[in-house]
Amino acid sequence: MRRLGTGIGWRPEIADAMERMPGIDWVEAVAENVCPGHLPDSLLRLRERGVTVIPHGVSLGLGDAERPDAGRLAALAERAEALGSPLVTEHIAFVRAGGPLTASPRLEAGHLLPVPRTRDALDVLCENVRIAQDALPVPLAVENIAALLAWPGEEMTEGQFLYELADRTGVRLLIDVANLHTNHVNRGEDPAKALAELPLEAIAYVHVAGGFERDGVWHDSHAHPVPRPVLDILTDLASRVSPPGVLLERDENFPEPAELERELGTIRAAVEAGGREGALARAGSSARSHDATEAGTRTGAEAGAETRTGTATGAGTATGAATATGTGTDSRAGGESASRTPEPVPAALGEATRQRLGLAQASLLSALVAGTPVPEGFDRVRLGVQSRALAAKRADVVAKVAPELPPILGSGYRTAFLAYAQGRPMHGGYRQDALDFAEATLLGGRLTEGRARRELRRWWLDRSGPAPRPKSRLGQVRRAGRVGRTLARR
C-alpha cells in the first residue's frame, strides 16, 4: 500500500491555514462537497505542490439493501480522476431504506447508520463492494463507523466482520480509531480485540477524531480535541502494523491553526510510540523464540545421543514427532501471504436476501425518522438518542446548505427545525429538505405576519420553482450570468 504520511481533512473553513501548515503530506476531501469541473483553488494549489488528495464519500450507502446507484458511483469515479487520487474511500453503513424492494416509502437517514453484523448483511455488502470496485478507476477502501445503537441477533464481532469483508472482496480498510473508541463506550466492544481480529495488511490508512461523552453516550462529533483513549488505540494499532497514513478529521468548531498543528504533532507522537512498542515486542518475541530453539536443539542432541547408545529409543522417537509437528506449524504461519486477494466471485445474490435486509433496515429507519414503533430487540433509549442525533445533524447541515435560513428565523431556527423533523423524514437530500422545512413553516402557522415571514416566503419562492423568479435577486444574478456568457461568445 502506498505510504501517505500524516494528513488532515480538507475543509473550506480551514483551507488557507492548511496550506501554510508544515508537515501536511496529504488531505482528504468530502467527495460530495467537491465539483470536478470547479475544484477549489486551495485543492488545486495543494495538488500542484504534490500533496495527495483523496475523495471521501459519505452518501453511497454500500450497506444499503439495494445495489449502489450507478450515478453516485460515476460521480465518485469522476472526482477520483479529477483529483488524481490513488484511491477513494466510503463507509460500511446504510444511509437509505424503503422503496420498491420493500414496497414502502423511500427514507433517507441523512447520516451513517450501522449495518447488522449478520451473514445476510455481509453477503449484500460484499456484492455491493464488488459492484463499486468494478465501477471505480482506483482501489476502494471502506471505513468502520461509529454507532449509538446495536442490532439484536448479531453473528460476528466487528473485527470478524471486517476480516471476512476484506477476505471475500479484496477491499482495503480505512480504520477509524475514534469510531473504535465510540463503539467501546456505546456498545461495550473491546478495541484491542477488534484490532487483533483485523487483517492488518489490508489497512489503507487511519482516521483520528475527537468527540464528547454525555449521559454515558459517546458522540463522535469531529468538533473536539482528540482524547487520550483514542490516541491510546492509535498507539496500539501502530504497535501491530505501521499504518500507511494517519489523518485528523475536524468538521466544525475549528481551533486556531497552531492548535491543529499541536494536535497533529500529538498524533505523530502516538504513532511513533506505537512503533517503538511494536519493535520492543518483536525483539522480545524473537529472543524468546531463539532461546526456545536452542533449548530444543540441545534436547534433540541429547535424545539423539541416547538413541545411539540404545538407552532411550522411545524418547528419541517422541522428540522427532514433536519436531515434525513444530515444522508444520511454522510452515503454515510463514506461508500466509502479506497481500490479500479476493475469493472467486460467487453467483449473484438472491433478491430474497436483499429483501430480508431491506425490511429490517426500513423498519429501523422508519422508527428513527418517522416515529413508527421501535422494532423488536432494540434498546428504546438508545434509539431515542440516535433519533435526536439524526434530527440535530439535519438541522446543522440544512443550516450550511441554506445559510440564509438561520438569519431569517433567528434564534428560533433550531427549535423550529427540530419540531419539523419529528415525523417528517428526509426524502430528497438536504437542499430539498431546506425547501420542505421552509414550506412547512410557512403553512404551519408558526410564523405570524412580519419581517421573518416575508423574507422566508421570498426565499422559498425564489428557490422552489424550476428556475428563480425573474424579479428576484437570485433571478437577476442568474440572468446577468446568462447575458455575460452571451457577450463573451460574441
Side-chain angles (χ1 to χ4, degrees):
M1 176 61 204
R2 175 174 174 174
R3 306 299 299 183
L4 294 169
T6 303
I8 188 170
W10 183 89
R11 303 293 183 266
E13 296 89 338
I14 56 172
D16 291 340
M18 283 170 49
E19 290 186 57
R20 296 190 296 270
M21 286 182 191
I24 299 297
D25 302 310
W26 62 292
V27 300
E28 180 191 77
V30 176
E32 289 80 356
N33 294 346
V34 175
C35 180
H38 301 84
L39 293 177
D41 291 340
S42 172
L43 282 182
L44 291 173
R45 288 191 294 268
L46 288 170
R47 285 185 60 216
E48 289 171 359
R49 282 167 38 191
V51 175
T52 299
V53 182
I54 293 178
H56 184 55
V58 297
S59 64
L60 187 57
L62 287 170
D64 292 355
E66 292 189 345
R67 292 171 179 81
D69 178 73
R72 294 181 188 276
L73 282 172
L76 193 55
E78 189 179 8
R79 282 151 179 78
E81 291 177 332
L83 293 167
S85 306
L87 76 160
V88 296
T89 58
E90 248 290 351
H91 296 83
I92 302 171
F94 84 96
V95 297
R96 59 189 67 84
L101 185 65
T102 57
S104 60
R106 185 176 295 279
L107 301 173
E108 293 269 352
H111 198 47
L112 306 166
L113 293 175
V115 299
R117 296 174 197 154
T118 61
R119 289 290 164 190
D120 274 358
L122 181 62
D123 288 344
V124 170
L125 178 62
C126 286
E127 186 171 85
N128 288 352
V129 165
R130 290 191 189 98
I131 292 170
Q133 288 170 320
D134 290 342
L136 294 170
V138 293
L140 170 69
V142 292
E143 178 183 355
N144 60 304
I145 72 163
L148 292 173
L149 52 84
W151 284 82
E154 292 192 313
E155 299 164 356
M156 287 170 272
T157 65
E158 181 161 39
Q160 292 167 343
F161 193 81
L162 294 175
Y163 190 100
E164 286 217 28
L165 173 64
D167 196 48
R168 290 170 57 176
T169 65
V171 74
R172 297 174 182 179
L173 299 178
L174 162 49
I175 297 302
D176 191 316
V177 292
N179 291 347
L180 292 179
H181 174 66
T182 301
N183 295 345
H184 170 64
V185 176
N186 295 347
R187 299 173 54 154
E189 298 175 353
D190 184 1
K193 185 175 186 291
L195 292 176
E197 293 175 336
L198 286 178
L200 298 176
E201 73 280 5
I203 294 178
Y205 60 89
V206 177
H207 270 175
V208 184
F212 65 95
E213 187 171 353
R214 179 188 295 153
D215 299 329
V217 176
W218 185 267
H219 297 267
D220 183 44
S221 67
H222 294 192
H224 297 78
V226 179
R228 174 47 56 185
V230 172
L231 293 170
D232 290 343
I233 298 172
L234 176 62
T235 296
D236 187 4
L237 184 149
S239 73
R240 300 166 188 265
V241 66
S242 176
V246 181
L247 181 128
L248 171 64
E249 288 188 294
R250 191 69 176 247
D251 292 342
E252 53 189 330
N253 191 25
F254 298 102
E256 292 297 317
E259 179 58 31
L260 284 176
E261 290 179 29
R262 282 193 292 272
E263 199 157 30
L264 287 166
T266 303
I267 289 169
R268 292 188 189 95
V271 172
E272 291 168 1
R276 290 192 297 270
E277 289 180 14
L280 288 173
R282 287 188 290 274
S285 176
S286 177
R288 289 191 297 272
S289 176
H290 178 71
D291 292 344
T293 301
E294 282 194 345
T297 302
R298 288 195 298 271
T299 302
E302 293 168 0
E306 290 179 355
T307 302
R308 286 193 298 274
T309 58
T311 58
T313 303
T317 303
T319 303
T323 303
T325 302
T327 302
T329 303
D330 290 343
S331 175
R332 287 192 297 273
E336 181 173 290
S337 172
S339 61
R340 184 166 298 277
T341 55
E343 292 181 353
V345 178
L349 190 66
E351 288 304 300
T353 303
R354 288 186 177 275
Q355 190 172 50
R356 285 194 300 271
L357 179 63
L359 288 169
Q361 290 180 341
S363 178
L364 172 60
L365 187 51
S366 181
L368 289 171
V369 303
T372 58
V374 175
E376 185 177 354
F378 281 95
D379 185 320
R380 291 176 179 273
V381 174
R382 282 298 171 88
L383 229 68
V385 173
Q386 180 71 83
S387 179
R388 291 189 292 275
L390 288 176
K393 177 76 173 179
R394 282 174 68 185
D396 291 341
V397 179
V398 164
K400 290 181 179 180
V401 301
E404 304 85 0
L405 293 180
I408 289 174
L409 297 175
S411 59
Y413 163 75
R414 193 169 188 84
T415 301
F417 189 93
L418 294 179
Y420 150 82
Q422 289 182 349
R424 286 188 177 88
M426 185 168 66
H427 61 85
Y430 283 111
R431 296 187 190 283
Q432 184 61 49
D433 205 24
L435 288 169
D436 292 345
F437 163 61
E439 182 179 14
T441 302
L442 290 168
L443 295 177
R446 295 189 181 92
L447 283 180
T448 58
E449 289 297 335
R451 181 193 60 81
R453 183 177 178 84
R454 288 194 301 273
E455 290 189 9
L456 184 61
R457 182 176 180 274
R458 185 183 303 118
W459 181 92
W460 181 81
L461 287 171
D462 286 349
R463 291 161 177 80
S464 59
R469 295 182 301 154
K471 293 184 178 180
S472 71
R473 281 172 292 183
L474 195 62
Q476 292 169 0
V477 170
R478 180 76 59 87
R479 191 165 57 254
R482 286 199 300 268
V483 171
R485 286 193 295 273
T486 301
L487 291 174
R489 283 196 296 270
R490 291 178 181 174

